[in-house]
Amino acid sequence: MAEVEKKEEREVPYYETVLGASPEKLATVDYKPPAKPWMDVPPKFKKLDYLNPAKVKWMKVIDLPFPREWSPPDEDWKLPENWKEIFLNGMEDRLKRFRSFQLFMDICVRCGACADKCQFFIGGGDPKNMPVLRAELLRSIYRRYFTTSGKILGKIAGARELTVDVIKELFKYSFQCTECRRCSVFCPYGIDMAEITMIARELLLLLGMHVNWAIEPVGKSFLTGNHMGLLPHTIKDFMDEYRDELEKITGFKVDVPMNRKGAEILYIVPSGDFFDERGVILTIATLLYFYHIGLDYTWSTYTSEGGNFGLFTSHEMIKRLNAKMYAEAKRLKVKWILGGECGHMWRVINQYMGTVNGPADFLEEPVSPITGTKFENAKDTKMVHIAEFTADLIRHGKLKLDPSRNDHVIATYHDSCNPSRAMGLFEEPRYIIKNVCNNFYEMPESCIREKTFCCGGGAGLGTDEQLETLLRGNFPRSNATKHVHEKFGVNRLLCMCAIDRAVLSMGLSYWCPQVTVGGVHELLANALVIPGESPRTVDLRRQPLKRPITPGKIAGKEA
């Protein structure tokens, strides 16, 4: 009996939790090497396996080159006449401007350490989705046109000619990479596959080739301030509805400060928090949270999108979209910026802001108005992540929390790629969760923290027009979630990214429908004990609590 218990408690191997197979099962696979070398296999496009090209309207809105109607399954992609010259000149320009790009083209030894780390290769098995081979799609062009050995030896040196089929191949696989950078964690040379993908997409964009799911959000962000094209009065109407919903649940009617000049803090969230079902709950939770601590803050209907879709498009778009947040902070005369549960907003802020837009020297170094803590890590950007802010409040005992209010939730946590791998935000979310929830279980160590899997829909891939590819990419994270659901009864997957909330909900509805998805601060708001609140019988989702909550009591004891 003791041996059985010990066996159950062992760390489950990577291949069982993520690949879903044991060594015995893997041994039965009848594998045959491909009949042709990878360079000689042309790309194929089938329904639900590719993203729709950017629409002419949105290409024109943001002044992109060669707007036109075309489709990946078509033989003729209507490339400009001098497309080869444009591509190679663009590549030469970026090799000169980005030292990292030149380095990443030269130093890969094709060791294969990254080969099985991409969720799209694990979920789908296409060898060109191995990061090492996906990079070779561009590196082989680099060798042919920018190295002596490639010019002389050709294929022997791993070089190949730039042809229309190569362009098509680059398009297909550049948009089957979520720029999550998981492969980089395992690379002995630290090659950043996301940067290679970003350059490949920039070069395709020079030829007027990109996907609508990225370009339309960029265009709408320029026109309205958010990727859904929501107008200021629409956002205001939404927020009034959420304020009323909060009053029905808690009895509190809170003020919703909008575009208020002179507030101490500007609060910026992904626009999914205004309309997506799970994001709306997070917004309601935030309204209650900020009301409780008396935060002097404002929302903005102009900067109504923290997500930076430029990250999926080009370095120039990153700069142009990030600038609007700081322009609004200056206009409203706030002291500093607080950011919500977003993914690519934080990748841009943490890795690009100081170079492309900063420093934000017109703002103050962020200091918590509740605890006096100085967030020294934000000296340059003047922007603090809400998980840092909340963890600081809990550590200083500034929040009364009753974790039993979340006893109907058995939670696990997904490290969203950008706040975690790109920002190092590993422990703060877990600290919050453990203080507001009694039932929390980690997924296997092989797929959390810096090794976390992507949701499968980042970098402009999170749309059901390529549902088959999306579900394949989502499989590793969903499979790990299914593992903790079956072992511990987990019924809620928490994360800190709007794209995660949407894509993981879609993926889990297929791979593990017993688990729902939500934000960390939703559980925080459930657990908040606030004097004067109505007796709580439901959570913010209007799901019944395990027992009625009487104001002034925590876990059955007097507060």
Side-chain angles (χ1 to χ4, degrees):
M1 189 69 178
E3 291 181 0
V4 173
E5 290 177 357
K6 185 177 181 181
K7 184 178 180 180
E8 289 178 350
E9 292 175 358
R10 70 184 175 89
E11 182 177 352
V12 181
Y14 171 85
Y15 50 76
E16 289 185 23
T17 61
V18 180
L19 301 182
S22 64
E24 293 77 14
K25 187 174 181 180
L26 291 172
T28 64
V29 175
D30 184 17
Y31 173 76
K32 295 180 180 179
K36 295 181 179 180
W38 69 267
M39 288 188 186
D40 300 328
V41 180
K44 295 180 180 179
F45 295 88
K46 62 179 182 178
K47 193 175 181 181
L48 298 180
D49 197 30
Y50 63 87
L51 290 165
N52 294 331
K55 295 178 181 178
V56 171
K57 171 184 176 180
W58 298 109
M59 294 281 284
K60 289 182 177 180
V61 164
I62 47 180
D63 195 29
L64 294 177
F66 305 111
R68 63 190 185 278
E69 298 288 346
W70 62 283
S71 179
D74 294 344
E75 184 175 349
D76 183 7
W77 282 22
K78 303 177 183 177
L79 295 170
E81 288 186 10
N82 60 335
W83 65 267
K84 189 171 182 178
E85 178 186 359
I86 293 170
F87 188 97
L88 292 175
N89 286 343
M91 192 169 185
E92 182 178 17
D93 171 64
R94 283 153 181 79
L95 286 167
K96 291 177 179 177
R97 284 196 290 130
F98 301 115
R99 294 175 62 190
S100 58
F101 180 43
Q102 174 80 64
L103 185 68
F104 297 156
M105 289 293 98
D106 284 330
I107 66 173
C108 177
V109 295
R110 288 173 282 186
C111 66
C114 67
D116 62 344
K117 304 307 185 294
C118 176
Q119 58 269 0
F120 286 99
F121 175 65
I122 294 172
D126 188 336
K128 290 182 183 179
N129 271 327
M130 292 188 292
V132 59
L133 189 46
R134 192 190 287 121
E136 284 293 307
L137 303 181
L138 193 59
R139 193 175 284 119
S140 60
I141 302 170
Y142 164 74
R143 292 195 186 101
R144 167 62 183 83
Y145 295 96
F146 299 98
T147 69
T148 302
S149 60
K151 291 175 182 178
I152 297 173
L153 299 175
K155 276 192 175 182
I156 297 174
R160 60 174 175 166
E161 295 291 330
L162 179 59
T163 65
V164 172
D165 275 346
V166 169
I167 290 293
K168 291 181 177 181
E169 187 178 56
L170 275 172
F171 179 85
K172 178 173 182 177
Y173 292 100
S174 293
F175 290 99
Q176 289 188 21
C177 170
T178 59
E179 302 176 13
C180 79
R181 302 166 73 243
R182 185 174 194 265
C183 52
S184 301
V185 173
F186 298 89
C187 176
Y189 292 97
I191 295 173
D192 191 336
M193 185 65 213
E195 292 291 333
I196 297 176
T197 296
M198 289 169 68
I199 295 294
R201 292 185 180 188
E202 285 194 21
L203 297 175
L204 292 170
L205 194 57
L206 295 177
L207 305 179
M209 297 165 54
H210 214 282
V211 299
N212 198 62
W213 202 88
I215 297 301
E216 183 172 338
V218 169
K220 287 182 175 178
S221 293
F222 278 117
L223 292 179
T224 67
N226 62 79
H227 91 277
M228 288 301 294
L230 301 175
L231 297 174
H233 65 274
T234 305
I235 295 173
K236 178 65 167 60
D237 289 343
F238 281 166
M239 296 300 281
D240 287 344
E241 290 181 20
Y242 306 152
R243 176 198 62 196
D244 294 343
E245 175 68 7
L246 179 62
E247 184 180 9
K248 291 175 184 176
I249 296 173
T250 67
F252 295 118
K253 187 167 186 176
V254 306
D255 291 327
V256 184
M258 305 290 290
N259 304 325
R260 184 168 68 85
K261 288 188 176 181
E264 181 174 0
I265 295 167
L266 170 62
Y267 183 55
I268 302 177
V269 298
S271 60
D273 287 12
F274 296 121
F275 67 89
D276 175 71
E277 177 185 354
R278 295 152 296 270
V280 166
I281 297 168
L282 197 56
T283 294
I284 294 173
T286 304
L287 290 174
L288 178 65
Y289 172 34
F290 289 171
Y291 165 80
H292 175 51
I293 63 175
L295 193 67
D296 179 15
Y297 80 109
T298 185
W299 303 76
S300 168
T301 56
Y302 170 70
T303 308
S304 48
E305 175 68 87
N308 192 317
F309 287 80
L311 187 64
F312 314 153
T313 312
S314 71
H315 289 84
E316 178 60 25
M317 288 299 177
I318 289 174
K319 180 178 181 178
R320 292 168 68 183
L321 288 178
N322 191 63
K324 74 182 189 303
M325 299 198 301
Y326 288 87
E328 182 69 341
K330 179 178 286 189
R331 186 183 75 87
L332 294 177
K333 296 180 172 59
V334 300
K335 293 182 179 179
W336 54 279
I337 305 172
L338 182 64
E341 294 189 14
C342 182
H344 43 296
M345 170 170 71
W346 286 107
R347 169 89 173 275
V348 169
I349 291 298
N350 195 55
Q351 293 191 325
Y352 295 95
M353 164 59 194
T355 303
V356 301
N357 296 109
D361 51 11
F362 59 91
L363 295 173
E364 297 180 9
E365 181 181 341
V367 176
S368 172
I370 314 299
T371 66
T373 297
K374 287 186 178 182
F375 295 98
E376 295 186 358
N377 59 309
K379 279 183 178 180
D380 183 33
T381 65
K382 309 300 192 295
M383 191 165 179
V384 175
H385 194 287
I386 193 170
E388 299 174 280
F389 182 75
T390 302
D392 177 64
L393 291 181
I394 295 175
R395 185 171 66 87
H396 283 89
K398 299 299 183 181
L399 300 177
K400 256 183 189 177
L401 300 168
D402 179 2
S404 71
R405 292 186 177 187
N406 287 311
D407 278 354
H408 59 303
V409 175
I410 305 174
T412 191
Y413 180 66
H414 162 69
D415 290 275
S416 302
C417 302
N418 291 314
S420 60
R421 228 184 333 260
M423 191 181 177
L425 204 64
F426 300 123
E427 302 311 321
E428 290 87 345
R430 289 174 168 83
Y431 181 71
I432 297 170
I433 295 167
K434 291 174 182 178
N435 276 277
V436 302
C437 180
N438 288 321
N439 306 301
F440 172 66
Y441 298 95
E442 292 275 14
M443 285 181 273
E445 190 64 32
S446 57
C447 62
I448 60 174
R449 293 185 171 85
E450 69 275 3
K451 298 177 184 177
T452 185
F453 276 114
C454 179
C455 66
L461 310 188
T463 171
D464 56 8
E465 65 198 45
Q466 62 159 5
L467 184 60
E468 183 180 322
T469 300
L470 183 62
L471 288 175
R472 288 200 302 262
N474 178 262
F475 169 72
R477 171 49 78 223
S478 289
N479 196 43
T481 305
K482 185 177 180 181
H483 168 72
V484 289
H485 164 70
E486 293 176 346
K487 185 172 183 179
F488 303 113
V490 164
N491 58 18
R492 181 74 57 82
L493 176 60
L494 302 175
C495 58
M496 291 199 307
C497 172
I499 290 179
D500 280 347
R501 292 196 299 269
V503 174
L504 291 171
S505 295
M506 184 189 303
L508 286 173
S509 68
Y510 183 82
W511 297 112
C512 187
Q514 302 90 343
V515 180
T516 58
V517 179
V520 172
H521 282 77
E522 175 188 341
L523 297 194
L524 174 83
N526 283 342
L528 281 176
V529 178
I530 307 175
E533 67 182 357
S534 300
R536 298 281 294 277
T537 59
V538 296
D539 65 9
L540 294 185
R541 298 189 179 206
R542 289 188 175 270
Q543 293 179 341
L545 302 175
K546 286 194 172 181
R547 61 179 179 79
I549 302 297
T550 303
K553 292 189 176 182
I554 301 179
K557 299 179 181 179
E558 291 295 334

